[in-house]
Amino acid sequence: MTLDRHPWRESPMPVGGAPPRSRAVGLIALVAIALAGPVGWLIGQPDPALTPAVVGWVLVGSALGSWATGQRITAQVLPSPGPGALAPTLVLCLVSGVLGSLGHPAGRVVVPFALACAVPVLSRLGGGLMARIAERLGDMAAAAVAAVTFTLLGLAAILVPWIVQRPLRIDPLAASGTWSTRQRRGARPTQPWTIESTPVTSQRGQRILRAAACIVALLVLAGSTPLARSTMAAFLERRGANPFRLPGTDAADTSGFEIRDAVDPDLEADWPDPDEPQAAMLATPWFYGTQYYNTAQGWALDPSAALRTINPYRLLDFQSRFLNIVDGDRASWTPPDCDCERLRIWMFGGSTTYGLNQRDEYTIASWIARTAAAAGINIDIENRGSNGHLHWMEAERFAWDLTIDEPPDMAIFYDGVNDGWAGANLGSIEAARVGPMIDPTTADLWHSTGRSDGDRPDAPPGASIDPDDDTTTPRSDVRARAVIERYDRSRELSRTAADAHDVALAYFWQPSRYSRPLVSSEPHGTGEQENAARLIEQLMASYLPDDVIDVTGALDGNVEPLFTDDVHHNEIAARLIAEAIFEELEPELRRLLDERGNGS
Amino acid sequence: MRILGLSCDYHDAAAALVVDGEVIAAAEEERFTRVKHDNSLPERAVASVLAIGDVKPDELDAVVLHEKPLAVFSRVLAARQRRGPRALGAFRREMPILLKRNLLIGYRIESMLRDLGASKPPPVRYSEHHLSHAAAAFLPSPFPSAAILTVDGIGEWATATVGHGVQHRVDLLEEQRYPNSLGLLYTLATEWCGFEPNDGEYKVMGLAPFGEPAYADQLAEIVELGDDGSISVDGKAVQWWGARPETLKGLAALFDGPPTTPGSPLSERDCNLARTIQEFVEEAVLRMARHAHDLTGSKHLCMAGGVALNCVANGRILREGPFDDIWVQPAAGDAGSAIGAALWYWHDEGQNLRQRDEPLAGALAADGMHGGQLGPAFGTDEVQAWLESEGIEHQRIDDLDERCTTVARHLADGAVIGWFEGRMEFGPRALGHRSILADPRSPTVQRDINMRVKGRESFRPFAPAVLWERATEWFELDQPSPYMLQTCQVAPARMVAVAEEPSDPIERVQVVRSEIPACTHIDGSARVQTVHVETNPAFHRLIQAFEEATGCPVLLNTSFNRAGQPIVCTPDDALDAARAAGLDLLVIENCLISAEELRRGT
């Protein structure tokens, strides 16, 4: 008999397990974790036929979660799991979820999840052995995590203040040896802290020392931010993940070549902080200002948001103050309506044609129209630039567009950098590999396309794939020549299409940051990287066929910061390039107008 | 309005229930968990006080914690910063505990109440540590106005405060701040003498008369005592923000060696150090009391905080201080601050006046502590049913006179008995409800109880419980001392001449110095409990019966526990303790269990 009439003698806690509320919370957490990763992974798969698999996984995860927590809501027919099943099931589901979320292959996602499913069964064996092992492992892991976490916390909370206070002879426990009059009366009961916090008497010297300590602490804090950023940048650079790096330049062989506008080989890299305004954009308050152009651009660049499904050639329509996508293409400036002859021009290219960092009416295409209008030529230009496009893709888009629309008077192809980068990524010149299909020069694109650049799926049973490290880096001239050869072959496609529809053609080879002398306020790499990239650019330009107009010198003579990375630039550069293009185009445009005036 | 006061997370966790300004129930968590000085969230104590008050968790209007946990956290952080890199290891180890203890205390309290059945826990409020002590000292006191003195180891930042209580208001006027702490200094000396800190302080007090104040000059090198009782401690010397005492080489040089290893025999150095620190504390507290009198002009003084349990110092304040009367919170340590927090919230938040203005009959002033009887009680029928279910033979005597006469006869015959009656006491002292009693006239019983029954140091003195109406005949006492919180001298008429004082401390303990040698310390003092028929009728009747049998109205009264264990709470706790202690008789309510029956169960 117990004296159970007295509730203070017995714990009100239910005997033999956690209270129902805790178990319910555990169930919800487990099911959520169990499902998040696999479902995320499955949804990321392109095959819609996997939808039933998603549903199936949800059901399996629910059953597993409820079973492992002893609820058995959806698995009443199953025996109860053994002791210690919950923790390893949770950990394995978490591993599966993390791997799935990171886009790892199916095998790596499924195996831990399958183990998680097996754990409740295994936990019934061995007389609680799994429970003991899980408990020991859990304790060790928790102790390790806590040790690391609180050591780091201690460095910040103990060591840093100590370092600041010690030279200033500040004693955080300094107290008067006499009675202190209490400044506070009637401390409010809702506050878990005391109103009066300073333990020292208010002496002028103490106040000055405290102020100095605060200033030093702020300086240390301020100094730690760039230090942390530079450390992170160095880390990313080692990982090769810096989005502003020109691919393939590290290993380029520049010996034996004369490089125009070469930079000091000892130049240190200066990659920009993505969160800070860049020199080229300082005069454009609309970019970082209240109109949120930068935000709109970020959205429009996100392939998962902006690209149409299974159609990388057209963007989803999008409206904002300065950036608009209409019928899948970037909007452009057009001359006012007039009772006059007007030419229709389609302009193809990559992100520079699209107009990264520029407003609709100040892209290269818009500036061509504006310049032409100033010269008395009215052209309706359609900006069909698309981020990351190579010439063969533009040609394919051109051919497609000709099937669904009236042919224009002229098509302009503005290329260079993307084809050059794709060539640089070829690795072995004999291999048929291509690099990233999408321009990797922005952080948004880099991260959002990370999945396509991630680990390859495992080879199917009985098959093998080439290892990744069989590539070789060709000499710069070999690589540059290969790029131009491929570019020239792809031009056969656009030429054929144009000839079939009687469309005038104009090919332009674009400038980049490497085609003009270094501007130190623009982002740049090390001297070695800069010179390698400059050599490639110069060699490619020198190998261009005669009918490709080289406008790489369009920015010569301008020493202002124009570029925000290796190739993307501001509206000033867009205008200068457009003027150079128009200068080359003007005779042909007038000829076309004349032909139209003659009724031909 | 129903208010739950809580004290926890440092030592002596406790809960108290205050209903409309009246303390209904209070209990320490250690009594239920059987872990001495248990500092955990007092869930079982809360369940107990709610059950006693017949209050459901959802019916509570507020829960008040005894301190500001974030302020404590900031002080600990500052202490670690003071120690610098050497504190990193300790920081790493204690930070998870601190985060849970101090930053999540509100959540923990809510969870506890939900576990106890609350669907919508009341808001959690926070008093200040010393404000809680001050409220516990003044608001239950019998005085309409009084100076308030709180002294302990440490609260948030304060270590001692002087305040003024008037009607329902408690204002703290001045404070001393960490690291200048009288309580921590005493605890350091406790550890230096080889006793457990936060537990063995009263042993130092008992050891002090065996020594001389030989280290007064050395103590003055590390602590300066001002005329107003303020102290200034040399922080570098004591380093109680992280350093272990055995690493303090400066102190070891001052005090002739490192701390005594716990459990090793006490040396003359330990006795002298105990005497030195005891005299220092007495002098400091006396000066603080005078300072409080200067500040407030009050005729009365209320005291709380761990240092207020130093009954020798309290006795000096009463005898030498400027106050007409003093009142010390019987649970002066952190446990009592649970009562203080709840009472403060009731009076301060609600601006409610105190109700108590009717003195009890006789000389005993009416206080709000109900004689300290605030814990759970067990009915005789229930106890008897339980004894029968356990197969324990017993004799039930419902008539109080007959029962007391029977027990008194056993006591007179030299029996050591366990006395379990009524509601459990709140506070560190057993006041006749969970007590071990014996005949104080025996010259051997002091050693017998210390060594055999309680298993503790042989020098420890025992307290006499005396009928109030006979008190002045036996002690130099002119005021009640119902809570055993002050010492006085045994009346000269009861003293006997000592032919030769031995030099060995153990032999000195054995010397018969009075008619009640078991309760007379070597300096002739005694920590008296006056027993009043108004508040403690059964115990009063028992002593009367003992007087009728022997002519002596005094009983030796010590707490019903063994060394290292909390005082018993329930009948089965009492039975276990009685069997372990080898008691000659166990009285649980109206049921008497013989020594033979006790031995049969061991």
Coordinates of all heavy atoms in Angstrom, one line a residue, chain A residues 1 6-9 12 147 150-151 154 157-159 161-162 165 171 173 175-177 179-180 182 184 187-193 198-199, chain B residues 48 51 68-70 80-82 84 91-92 96 99 116 125-126 128 172-177 179-180 228 231 241 344 349 376 382 389 570:
Chain A
M1 N 0.9 -1.2 0.0 CA 0.0 0.0 0.0 C 0.9 1.2 0.0 O 1.9 1.3 0.6 CB -0.9 0.0 1.2 CG -1.7 1.3 1.4 SD -2.6 1.3 3.0 CE -3.2 2.9 3.0
H6 N -2.2 11.2 -1.0 CA -1.4 12.5 -0.9 C -0.7 12.6 -2.2 O 0.3 11.9 -2.5 CB -0.4 12.4 0.2 CG -1.2 12.3 1.5 ND1 -1.7 13.4 2.2 CD2 -1.5 11.2 2.3 CE1 -2.3 13.0 3.3 NE2 -2.2 11.7 3.4
P7 N -1.1 13.5 -3.1 CA -0.5 13.5 -4.4 C 0.9 14.0 -4.4 O 1.6 13.7 -5.4 CB -1.4 14.6 -5.1 CG -2.1 15.3 -4.0 CD -2.2 14.4 -2.9
W8 N 1.4 14.6 -3.3 CA 2.8 15.0 -3.4 C 3.7 13.8 -3.2 O 4.9 13.9 -3.4 CB 3.0 16.0 -2.2 CG 2.6 15.5 -0.9 CD1 3.3 14.7 -0.1 CD2 1.4 15.8 -0.2 NE1 2.6 14.5 1.1 CE2 1.4 15.1 1.0 CE3 0.2 16.5 -0.6 CZ2 0.4 15.1 1.9 CZ3 -0.8 16.5 0.3 CH2 -0.8 15.8 1.5
R9 N 3.2 12.7 -2.9 CA 4.1 11.5 -2.7 C 4.4 10.8 -4.0 O 5.3 10.1 -4.1 CB 3.4 10.5 -1.7 CG 3.4 10.9 -0.3 CD 4.8 11.0 0.2 NE 5.5 9.6 0.1 CZ 6.8 9.5 -0.1 NH1 7.6 10.5 -0.2 NH2 7.3 8.3 -0.2
P12 N 3.2 12.9 -10.8 CA 2.1 12.9 -11.7 C 2.5 12.5 -13.1 O 1.6 12.3 -13.9 CB 1.6 14.4 -11.7 CG 2.9 15.1 -11.4 CD 3.7 14.3 -10.4
A147 N 30.5 20.4 -27.1 CA 31.9 20.8 -26.8 C 32.3 21.9 -27.8 O 32.9 22.9 -27.5 CB 32.8 19.6 -26.7
F150 N 30.1 25.2 -27.6 CA 30.3 26.0 -26.5 C 31.7 26.5 -26.3 O 32.0 27.5 -25.7 CB 29.8 25.4 -25.2 CG 28.3 25.3 -25.2 CD1 27.6 24.1 -25.4 CD2 27.5 26.4 -25.0 CE1 26.3 24.0 -25.4 CE2 26.1 26.3 -25.0 CZ 25.5 25.1 -25.2
T151 N 32.6 25.8 -27.0 CA 34.0 26.3 -27.0 C 34.0 27.6 -27.9 O 34.6 28.6 -27.5 CB 35.0 25.2 -27.5 OG1 34.9 24.1 -26.7 CG2 36.4 25.8 -27.6
G154 N 32.4 30.3 -26.1 CA 33.2 30.8 -25.1 C 34.3 31.7 -25.6 O 34.6 32.8 -25.0
A157 N 32.3 34.9 -26.1 CA 31.7 35.6 -24.9 C 32.7 35.8 -23.8 O 32.5 36.6 -22.9 CB 30.6 34.7 -24.4
I158 N 33.8 35.1 -23.8 CA 34.7 35.2 -22.7 C 36.1 35.8 -23.2 O 36.5 36.8 -22.6 CB 35.0 33.8 -22.1 CG1 33.7 33.1 -21.6 CG2 36.1 33.9 -21.0 CD1 33.1 33.9 -20.4
L159 N 36.6 35.2 -24.2 CA 38.0 35.6 -24.6 C 38.0 37.0 -25.2 O 38.9 37.8 -24.8 CB 38.5 34.6 -25.6 CG 40.0 34.4 -25.6 CD1 40.6 34.1 -24.2 CD2 40.5 33.4 -26.6
P161 N 35.9 39.7 -24.9 CA 35.8 40.7 -23.8 C 37.0 40.8 -22.9 O 37.5 41.9 -22.6 CB 34.6 40.3 -23.0 CG 33.8 39.4 -23.9 CD 34.8 38.7 -24.8
W162 N 37.6 39.6 -22.6 CA 38.8 39.6 -21.8 C 40.0 40.3 -22.4 O 40.7 41.1 -21.8 CB 39.1 38.2 -21.4 CG 40.3 38.0 -20.5 CD1 40.3 38.2 -19.2 CD2 41.6 37.7 -20.9 NE1 41.6 37.9 -18.7 CE2 42.4 37.6 -19.7 CE3 42.3 37.4 -22.1 CZ2 43.8 37.3 -19.8 CZ3 43.6 37.1 -22.1 CH2 44.4 37.0 -21.0
Q165 N 39.2 44.0 -22.3 CA 39.2 44.6 -21.0 C 40.5 44.7 -20.3 O 40.9 45.6 -19.6 CB 38.2 43.9 -20.1 CG 36.7 44.0 -20.5 CD 35.8 43.0 -19.9 OE1 36.3 42.0 -19.3 NE2 34.5 43.1 -20.1
D171 N 37.8 45.8 -14.8 CA 37.5 44.6 -14.1 C 35.9 44.5 -14.1 O 35.2 45.4 -13.6 CB 37.9 44.8 -12.6 CG 37.6 43.5 -11.8 OD1 36.9 42.6 -12.3 OD2 38.0 43.5 -10.6
L173 N 34.1 42.8 -12.6 CA 33.5 42.6 -11.3 C 33.8 43.7 -10.3 O 33.6 43.5 -9.1 CB 33.9 41.2 -10.7 CG 33.5 40.0 -11.6 CD1 34.1 38.7 -10.9 CD2 32.0 39.9 -11.7
A175 N 33.6 46.4 -7.8 CA 32.5 46.8 -7.0 C 33.0 47.7 -5.9 O 34.2 47.5 -5.4 CB 31.8 45.6 -6.5
S176 N 32.2 48.6 -5.4 CA 32.6 49.4 -4.3 C 32.7 48.6 -3.0 O 31.9 47.7 -2.9 CB 31.6 50.5 -4.2 OG 31.7 51.1 -2.9
G177 N 33.6 48.9 -2.2 CA 33.7 48.2 -0.9 C 32.8 48.7 0.2 O 32.9 48.3 1.3
W179 N 28.6 50.3 1.1 CA 27.2 50.1 0.7 C 26.9 51.0 -0.5 O 27.3 52.2 -0.5 CB 26.3 50.5 1.9 CG 26.4 49.6 3.1 CD1 27.1 49.8 4.2 CD2 25.7 48.4 3.2 NE1 26.9 48.8 5.1 CE2 26.1 47.8 4.5 CE3 24.9 47.6 2.4 CZ2 25.6 46.6 5.0 CZ3 24.4 46.4 2.9 CH2 24.8 45.9 4.2
S180 N 26.2 50.5 -1.4 CA 25.8 51.3 -2.6 C 24.3 51.6 -2.4 O 23.5 50.7 -2.1 CB 26.0 50.5 -3.9 OG 27.3 50.0 -3.9
R182 N 20.8 51.9 -3.7 CA 20.1 51.3 -4.8 C 19.4 52.3 -5.7 O 18.7 53.1 -5.2 CB 19.1 50.2 -4.3 CG 19.8 48.9 -3.8 CD 18.8 48.1 -3.2 NE 17.7 47.7 -4.0 CZ 17.6 46.6 -4.7 NH1 18.5 45.7 -4.6 NH2 16.5 46.3 -5.4
R184 N 17.4 51.6 -8.1 CA 16.1 51.1 -8.5 C 15.2 50.8 -7.3 O 15.6 50.4 -6.3 CB 16.2 49.8 -9.3 CG 16.9 48.7 -8.6 CD 17.2 47.5 -9.5 NE 17.8 46.4 -8.7 CZ 19.1 46.3 -8.3 NH1 19.9 47.3 -8.7 NH2 19.5 45.3 -7.6
A187 N 11.5 46.7 -8.5 CA 11.8 46.1 -9.7 C 10.6 45.4 -10.3 O 9.9 44.7 -9.5 CB 12.9 45.0 -9.5
R188 N 10.3 45.6 -11.5 CA 9.0 45.0 -12.1 C 9.1 43.5 -12.2 O 10.1 42.9 -12.6 CB 8.7 45.6 -13.5 CG 8.7 47.1 -13.5 CD 7.9 47.7 -12.3 NE 6.6 47.1 -12.2 CZ 5.9 47.1 -11.0 NH1 6.5 47.5 -9.9 NH2 4.7 46.5 -11.0
P189 N 8.0 42.9 -11.8 CA 8.0 41.4 -11.7 C 8.0 40.8 -13.1 O 8.2 39.6 -13.2 CB 6.8 41.1 -10.9 CG 5.9 42.3 -11.0 CD 6.8 43.5 -11.2
T190 N 7.6 41.5 -14.1 CA 7.5 40.9 -15.4 C 8.9 40.8 -16.1 O 9.1 40.2 -17.1 CB 6.6 41.7 -16.4 OG1 7.1 43.1 -16.4 CG2 5.2 41.7 -15.9
Q191 N 9.9 41.4 -15.5 CA 11.3 41.4 -16.1 C 12.2 40.4 -15.5 O 12.4 40.4 -14.2 CB 11.9 42.8 -16.0 CG 11.1 43.9 -16.7 CD 11.6 45.3 -16.3 OE1 12.1 45.5 -15.3 NE2 11.5 46.2 -17.3
P192 N 12.7 39.5 -16.3 CA 13.6 38.5 -15.7 C 15.0 39.0 -15.5 O 16.0 38.3 -15.3 CB 13.6 37.3 -16.7 CG 13.3 38.0 -18.0 CD 12.4 39.2 -17.7
W193 N 15.2 40.3 -15.6 CA 16.5 40.9 -15.4 C 16.4 42.1 -14.5 O 15.3 42.6 -14.3 CB 17.2 41.4 -16.7 CG 16.3 42.3 -17.5 CD1 16.3 43.7 -17.4 CD2 15.3 42.0 -18.4 NE1 15.4 44.2 -18.2 CE2 14.8 43.3 -18.9 CE3 14.9 40.8 -19.0 CZ2 13.8 43.3 -19.8 CZ3 13.9 40.9 -20.0 CH2 13.3 42.1 -20.4
T198 N 24.8 48.0 -14.2 CA 26.2 48.2 -14.0 C 26.6 47.9 -12.6 O 26.0 48.5 -11.7 CB 26.6 49.6 -14.4 OG1 28.0 49.8 -14.0 CG2 25.7 50.6 -13.8
P199 N 27.6 47.1 -12.3 CA 28.0 46.8 -11.0 C 29.0 47.8 -10.4 O 29.3 47.7 -9.2 CB 28.6 45.5 -11.1 CG 29.2 45.5 -12.4 CD 28.4 46.3 -13.3
Chain B
S48 N 2.9 19.1 -3.8 CA 2.5 19.0 -2.4 C 1.7 20.3 -1.9 O 0.7 20.2 -1.3 CB 3.7 18.8 -1.5 OG 3.4 18.9 -0.2
A51 N -1.7 20.6 -3.3 CA -2.6 19.6 -2.7 C -3.0 20.1 -1.3 O -4.2 20.0 -0.9 CB -2.0 18.3 -2.7
K68 N 16.0 37.0 -10.5 CA 15.9 37.4 -11.9 C 17.0 36.6 -12.6 O 18.2 36.9 -12.5 CB 16.3 38.9 -12.0 CG 15.4 39.9 -11.2 CD 14.2 40.3 -12.0 CE 13.5 41.4 -11.3 NZ 12.3 41.8 -12.1
P69 N 16.6 35.6 -13.4 CA 17.5 34.6 -13.9 C 18.5 35.2 -15.0 O 19.6 34.8 -15.0 CB 16.6 33.6 -14.6 CG 15.3 34.2 -14.8 CD 15.2 35.2 -13.7
L70 N 18.0 36.2 -15.7 CA 18.9 36.8 -16.7 C 20.0 37.6 -16.1 O 21.2 37.7 -16.5 CB 18.1 37.7 -17.7 CG 17.2 36.9 -18.6 CD1 16.6 37.8 -19.7 CD2 17.8 35.7 -19.3
R80 N 33.2 34.9 -15.5 CA 34.0 34.1 -16.4 C 34.9 35.0 -17.2 O 36.1 34.7 -17.5 CB 33.1 33.3 -17.3 CG 32.3 32.2 -16.6 CD 33.3 31.1 -16.0 NE 32.5 30.3 -15.1 CZ 32.6 30.4 -13.8 NH1 33.3 31.3 -13.2 NH2 31.9 29.6 -13.0
Q81 N 34.4 36.2 -17.6 CA 35.2 37.1 -18.3 C 36.4 37.6 -17.4 O 37.5 37.9 -17.9 CB 34.4 38.3 -18.8 CG 33.4 38.0 -19.9 CD 32.5 39.2 -20.3 OE1 32.6 40.2 -19.6 NE2 31.7 39.0 -21.2
R82 N 36.1 37.8 -16.2 CA 37.1 38.2 -15.2 C 38.3 37.2 -15.2 O 39.4 37.6 -15.1 CB 36.5 38.4 -13.8 CG 37.5 38.7 -12.7 CD 38.0 40.1 -12.9 NE 38.8 40.5 -11.7 CZ 40.0 40.0 -11.4 NH1 40.6 39.1 -12.2 NH2 40.7 40.4 -10.4
G84 N 39.0 35.0 -17.7 CA 39.6 35.0 -19.0 C 39.8 33.6 -19.5 O 38.9 32.7 -19.3
F91 N 33.4 27.3 -18.7 CA 32.3 27.9 -19.5 C 31.7 26.9 -20.4 O 30.5 26.8 -20.4 CB 32.9 29.1 -20.3 CG 31.9 29.7 -21.2 CD1 31.1 30.7 -20.8 CD2 31.7 29.3 -22.5 CE1 30.2 31.3 -21.6 CE2 30.8 29.8 -23.4 CZ 30.0 30.9 -22.9
R92 N 32.5 26.1 -21.0 CA 32.0 25.1 -21.9 C 31.2 24.0 -21.1 O 30.1 23.6 -21.6 CB 33.2 24.4 -22.6 CG 32.8 23.2 -23.5 CD 34.0 22.8 -24.4 NE 35.1 22.4 -23.6 CZ 35.3 21.2 -23.0 NH1 34.3 20.4 -23.0 NH2 36.3 21.0 -22.3
P96 N 25.8 24.9 -21.1 CA 24.5 24.2 -21.4 C 23.6 24.2 -20.2 O 22.4 24.4 -20.3 CB 25.0 22.8 -21.7 CG 26.4 22.9 -22.1 CD 27.0 24.1 -21.3
L99 N 22.2 27.8 -19.7 CA 21.2 28.2 -20.7 C 19.9 27.6 -20.3 O 18.9 28.2 -20.4 CB 21.7 27.7 -22.1 CG 22.8 28.5 -22.7 CD1 23.3 27.8 -24.0 CD2 22.4 29.9 -23.0
L116 N 1.7 18.9 -14.3 CA 0.9 18.8 -13.1 C -0.6 18.9 -13.4 O -1.4 18.9 -12.5 CB 1.3 19.8 -12.0 CG 2.7 19.5 -11.4 CD1 3.1 20.7 -10.4 CD2 2.7 18.2 -10.6
R125 N 6.4 35.4 -13.0 CA 6.9 36.7 -12.6 C 8.2 36.5 -11.9 O 8.5 35.4 -11.4 CB 5.9 37.4 -11.7 CG 4.6 37.6 -12.4 CD 4.7 38.4 -13.7 NE 3.4 38.8 -14.2 CZ 3.2 38.9 -15.5 NH1 4.2 38.7 -16.4 NH2 2.0 39.3 -15.9
Y126 N 9.0 37.5 -11.8 CA 10.3 37.4 -11.2 C 10.6 38.5 -10.1 O 10.4 39.7 -10.4 CB 11.4 37.5 -12.3 CG 11.2 36.6 -13.5 CD1 10.4 37.0 -14.5 CD2 11.7 35.3 -13.4 CE1 10.2 36.1 -15.6 CE2 11.5 34.4 -14.5 CZ 10.7 34.8 -15.6 OH 10.5 33.9 -16.6
E128 N 13.4 39.9 -7.2 CA 14.9 39.9 -7.0 C 15.3 39.0 -5.9 O 14.5 38.9 -4.9 CB 15.4 41.3 -6.8 CG 15.5 42.2 -8.1 CD 16.2 43.5 -7.8 OE1 17.3 43.5 -7.4 OE2 15.5 44.5 -8.0
L172 N 14.3 48.2 -0.5 CA 15.7 48.0 -0.2 C 16.4 49.3 -0.5 O 16.3 50.0 -1.5 CB 16.2 46.9 -1.2 CG 15.6 45.5 -1.0 CD1 16.3 44.5 -1.9 CD2 15.6 45.1 0.4
L173 N 17.2 49.7 0.5 CA 17.8 51.1 0.5 C 19.3 51.0 0.0 O 19.7 51.8 -0.8 CB 17.8 51.7 1.9 CG 16.4 51.7 2.5 CD1 16.5 52.3 4.0 CD2 15.4 52.6 1.7
E174 N 20.0 50.0 0.5 CA 21.4 49.9 0.2 C 21.8 48.5 0.0 O 21.1 47.6 0.5 CB 22.3 50.6 1.2 CG 22.2 52.1 1.3 CD 23.2 52.6 2.3 OE1 23.9 51.8 3.1 OE2 23.3 53.9 2.4
E175 N 22.9 48.3 -0.8 CA 23.3 46.9 -1.0 C 24.8 46.8 -1.1 O 25.5 47.8 -1.5 CB 22.6 46.3 -2.2 CG 23.1 47.0 -3.5 CD 22.3 46.5 -4.8 OE1 21.3 45.9 -4.6 OE2 22.8 46.8 -5.9
Q176 N 25.3 45.7 -0.8 CA 26.7 45.4 -1.2 C 26.7 44.4 -2.3 O 25.8 43.6 -2.4 CB 27.4 44.8 0.0 CG 27.7 45.8 1.1 CD 28.7 45.2 2.2 OE1 29.8 44.8 1.9 NE2 28.2 45.2 3.4
R177 N 27.7 44.5 -3.2 CA 27.7 43.8 -4.4 C 28.9 42.8 -4.5 O 29.9 43.0 -3.9 CB 27.7 44.7 -5.6 CG 26.4 45.5 -5.7 CD 26.4 46.3 -7.0 NE 25.0 46.4 -7.4 CZ 24.6 46.4 -8.7 NH1 25.5 46.2 -9.6 NH2 23.3 46.5 -9.0
P179 N 32.0 41.1 -5.8 CA 32.4 40.0 -5.0 C 32.6 40.2 -3.5 O 33.1 39.3 -2.8 CB 33.8 39.6 -5.6 CG 34.4 41.0 -6.0 CD 33.2 41.8 -6.4
N180 N 32.1 41.3 -3.0 CA 32.2 41.6 -1.6 C 31.1 40.9 -0.9 O 30.0 41.4 -0.8 CB 32.2 43.1 -1.3 CG 33.3 43.8 -2.0 OD1 34.4 43.3 -2.0 ND2 33.0 45.0 -2.6
D228 N 30.4 50.5 9.2 CA 29.0 50.3 8.9 C 28.7 48.8 8.5 O 27.6 48.5 7.9 CB 28.5 51.2 7.8 CG 29.4 51.1 6.5 OD1 30.3 50.3 6.5 OD2 29.1 51.9 5.5
I231 N 31.9 45.3 3.7 CA 33.2 44.6 3.6 C 33.8 44.8 2.2 O 33.0 45.0 1.2 CB 33.1 43.1 3.9 CG1 32.2 42.4 2.9 CG2 32.5 42.9 5.3 CD1 32.2 40.9 3.0
W241 N 35.4 33.4 -8.4 CA 34.7 33.3 -9.7 C 35.3 32.2 -10.6 O 35.3 32.3 -11.8 CB 34.9 34.7 -10.5 CG 36.2 35.3 -10.3 CD1 37.3 35.0 -10.9 CD2 36.5 36.4 -9.5 NE1 38.3 35.8 -10.5 CE2 37.8 36.7 -9.6 CE3 35.7 37.2 -8.6 CZ2 38.4 37.8 -8.9 CZ3 36.3 38.2 -7.9 CH2 37.7 38.5 -8.1
W344 N 5.8 39.1 -1.6 CA 6.1 40.4 -2.2 C 5.2 40.7 -3.4 O 4.7 41.8 -3.5 CB 7.6 40.4 -2.7 CG 7.9 41.6 -3.6 CD1 8.1 42.8 -3.2 CD2 8.0 41.6 -5.0 NE1 8.3 43.7 -4.3 CE2 8.3 42.9 -5.4 CE3 8.0 40.6 -6.0 CZ2 8.5 43.3 -6.7 CZ3 8.2 40.9 -7.3 CH2 8.4 42.3 -7.7
E349 N 2.3 44.0 -6.1 CA 1.5 44.1 -7.3 C 0.1 44.4 -7.0 O -0.5 45.2 -7.7 CB 1.6 42.7 -8.0 CG 1.0 42.8 -9.4 CD 1.9 43.5 -10.4 OE1 3.0 44.0 -10.0 OE2 1.5 43.7 -11.6
P376 N 3.4 18.9 4.5 CA 2.3 17.9 4.5 C 2.1 17.2 5.9 O 3.1 17.1 6.7 CB 2.7 16.9 3.4 CG 4.2 17.0 3.4 CD 4.5 18.4 3.7
E382 N -4.9 6.9 8.6 CA -4.1 6.6 7.4 C -2.8 5.9 7.7 O -2.4 4.9 7.1 CB -3.9 7.9 6.6 CG -3.1 7.7 5.3 CD -2.8 9.0 4.7 OE1 -2.9 10.1 5.4 OE2 -2.5 9.1 3.5
S389 N -0.8 -2.5 6.6 CA -0.5 -3.1 5.3 C 1.0 -3.5 5.2 O 1.3 -4.4 4.4 CB -0.9 -2.1 4.2 OG 0.1 -1.1 4.2
T570 N 7.7 11.7 5.2 CA 6.6 10.8 5.3 C 6.8 9.7 6.3 O 7.9 9.5 6.8 CB 6.3 10.1 3.9 OG1 7.5 9.3 3.6 CG2 6.1 11.2 2.8

